[in-house]
C-alpha cells in the first residue's frame, strides 16, 4: 500500500485556510443582504441614521428615483424623521442576487405605503445595490433606484366637452392622427391604432400605461387649434386641420 498520496492529502487539508474548512466567516447570503437592506428602510420613517452610516461605504455612489446623486455624507444627512401626521412602511419584495467572491449585487422591488393625515398613498420602486467586501466588512458601494410608472387617477369631465377636441391633427405632411368620441369615451387613432384618452383634467389626458400626456390647446378664438403630445417636459405639437 502506498501511503504517500494519503499523507500528501492530509498535509494539504491541514494547511487549508480555516475559512475553506469551516466556511468563510465573512461570506454573505441573499437572506443576509435582504435583512440588512430591510433594516435600512425600516430606519427611514423614524429617521434613524445608524444603519445608513453602517452599511454604506465611505466612497459610495447613491442615485435616487428623482435622479439626485448623493455621496455618503449627503445621504446620511438626508435621513430625517417623517413630519408629524405622516407615517408609512417600506417593504422589500422580489429580491434577486448575484454573489461572487468579494462582490454581491442585490436587485429588488420596494412597496411603499405612506399615510398623510389619514390619507393612504402607495408607490413602487426598483433598486439595485452593489455590495463589496473590504477589510472583512460588507458595505454598499453603489445604489441605483427608479420609480415604477403609475397611471394617475381618472378625472370626471362631461362628455359634451369632447366635441371641442374631435378632429384631425397633423404633425407633418402625411402624418396625422384623429381624435373622436364614442358615447362617453374619447379616443385617438393613428395608422389604424386606437387608444383611449382618459381625462386627468379638463384639457389633459393620458393613455393607460403610457407615461406621456395629451393636451389640447385653445387658441384666442376659444377653439382648440392643436394637440400637444407631452413627453416629460418636452412637447410635440400636432396642428389641427379640421
Amino acid at each position: 500500500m502506498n501511503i504517500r498520496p494519503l499523507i500528501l492529502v492530509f498535509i494539504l487539508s491541514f494547511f487549508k485556510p480555516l475559512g475553506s474548512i469551516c466556511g468563510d466567516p465573512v461570506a454573505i447570503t441573499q437572506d443576509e443582504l435582504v435583512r440588512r437592506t430591510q433594516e435600512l428602510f425600516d430606519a427611514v420613517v423614524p429617521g434613524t441614521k445608524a444603519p445608513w452610516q453602517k452599511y454604506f461605504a465611505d466612497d459610495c455612489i447613491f442615485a435616487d428615483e428623482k435622479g439626485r446623486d448623493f455621496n455618503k455624507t449627503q445621504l446620511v444627512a438626508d435621513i430625517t424623521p417623517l413630519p408629524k401626521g405622516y407615517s408609512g412602511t417600506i417593504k422589500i419584495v422580489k429580491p434577486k442576487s448575484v454573489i461572487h467572491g468579494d462582490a454581491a449585487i442585490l436587485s429588488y422591488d420596494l412597496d411603499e405605503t405612506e399615510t398623510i393625515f389619514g390619507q393612504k398613498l402607495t408607490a413602487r420602486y426598483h433598486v439595485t445595490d452593489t455590495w463589496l467586501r473590504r477589510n472583512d466588512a460588507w458595505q454598499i458601494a453603489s445604489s441605483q433606484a427608479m420609480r415604477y410608472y403609475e397611471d394617475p387617477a381618472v378625472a370626471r369631465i362631461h362628455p359634451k366637452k369632447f366635441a371641442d377636441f374631435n378632429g384631425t391633427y397633423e404633425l407633418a405632411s402625411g402624418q396625422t392622427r384623429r381624435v373622436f368620441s364614442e358615447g362617453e369615451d374619447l379616443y385617438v387613432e393613428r395608422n389604424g391604432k386606437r387608444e383611449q384618452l382618459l381625462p386627468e383634467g379638463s384639457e389633459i389626458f393620458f393613455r393607460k400605461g403610457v407615461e406621456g400626456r395629451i393636451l389640447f390647446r385653445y387658441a384666442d378664438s376659444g377653439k382648440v387649434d392643436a394637440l400637444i403630445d407631452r413627453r416629460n417636459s418636452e412637447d410635440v405639437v400636432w396642428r389641427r386641420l379640421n
Side-chain angles (χ1 to χ4, degrees):
M1 177 180 179
N2 188 349
I3 64 171
R4 295 179 67 180
L6 294 178
I7 293 175
L8 181 60
V9 170
F10 174 79
I11 292 173
L12 291 175
S13 298
F14 182 83
F15 284 102
K16 281 184 179 179
L18 182 61
S20 65
I21 298 174
C22 301
D24 189 337
V26 288
I28 203 154
T29 64
Q30 176 175 300
D31 287 345
E32 177 60 15
L33 291 173
V34 170
R35 186 196 69 77
R36 295 184 184 192
T37 306
Q38 186 63 62
E39 184 181 345
L40 288 169
F41 290 108
D42 287 344
V44 170
V45 172
T48 305
K49 299 179 186 292
W52 295 80
Q53 183 70 47
K54 177 181 179 181
Y55 292 132
F56 275 85
D58 290 342
D59 57 351
C60 71
I61 299 171
F62 182 92
D64 72 2
E65 74 284 355
K66 299 176 183 178
R68 301 179 299 173
D69 291 329
F70 294 93
N71 58 33
K72 183 173 181 176
T73 300
Q74 295 166 330
L75 172 61
V76 173
D78 197 57
I79 304 301
T80 56
L82 290 183
K84 185 178 179 180
Y86 288 62
S87 62
T89 60
I90 304 174
K91 297 299 181 184
I92 296 173
V93 295
K94 301 179 182 177
K96 297 180 181 179
S97 66
V98 176
I99 303 172
H100 184 74
D102 293 334
I105 297 172
L106 182 68
S107 182
Y108 52 93
D109 285 352
L110 291 175
D111 285 347
E112 179 183 30
T113 300
E114 186 174 9
T115 302
I116 302 177
F117 291 94
Q119 298 188 46
K120 185 177 179 181
L121 305 175
T122 61
R124 295 172 56 243
Y125 305 88
H126 185 76
V127 185
T128 300
D129 297 332
T130 300
W131 293 71
L132 296 180
R133 178 170 62 179
R134 294 184 287 191
N135 300 320
D136 290 340
W138 286 92
Q139 290 184 307
I140 298 173
S142 176
S143 181
Q144 173 73 58
M146 55 157 281
R147 181 169 182 169
Y148 285 109
Y149 170 76
E150 302 285 351
D151 288 330
V154 178
R156 298 184 63 180
I157 66 173
H158 201 288
K160 288 183 178 180
K161 189 172 178 63
F162 292 164
D164 289 357
F165 313 134
N166 291 339
T168 301
Y169 299 82
E170 182 182 61
L171 176 63
S173 179
Q175 301 295 321
T176 62
R177 64 202 311 183
R178 181 172 70 101
V179 175
F180 61 96
S181 55
E182 290 184 355
E184 297 186 353
D185 297 323
L186 186 68
Y187 297 91
V188 61
E189 185 176 62
R190 183 185 182 194
N191 298 329
K193 181 182 179 181
R194 170 192 294 199
E195 296 177 289
Q196 185 176 0
L197 296 179
L198 301 167
E200 185 176 354
S202 61
E203 298 158 18
I204 180 170
F205 295 77
F206 66 95
R207 292 156 288 176
K208 189 173 179 61
V210 178
E211 193 168 353
R213 297 293 188 267
I214 297 292
L215 298 84
F216 293 95
R217 186 182 70 188
Y218 282 84
D220 292 340
S221 64
K223 295 184 178 181
V224 172
D225 70 346
L227 177 155
I228 297 174
D229 192 343
R230 177 162 294 168
R231 306 173 185 180
N232 295 322
S233 60
E234 298 186 33
D235 293 344
V236 176
V237 179
W238 298 65
R239 301 190 181 280
R240 189 172 187 173
L241 296 179
N242 57 51

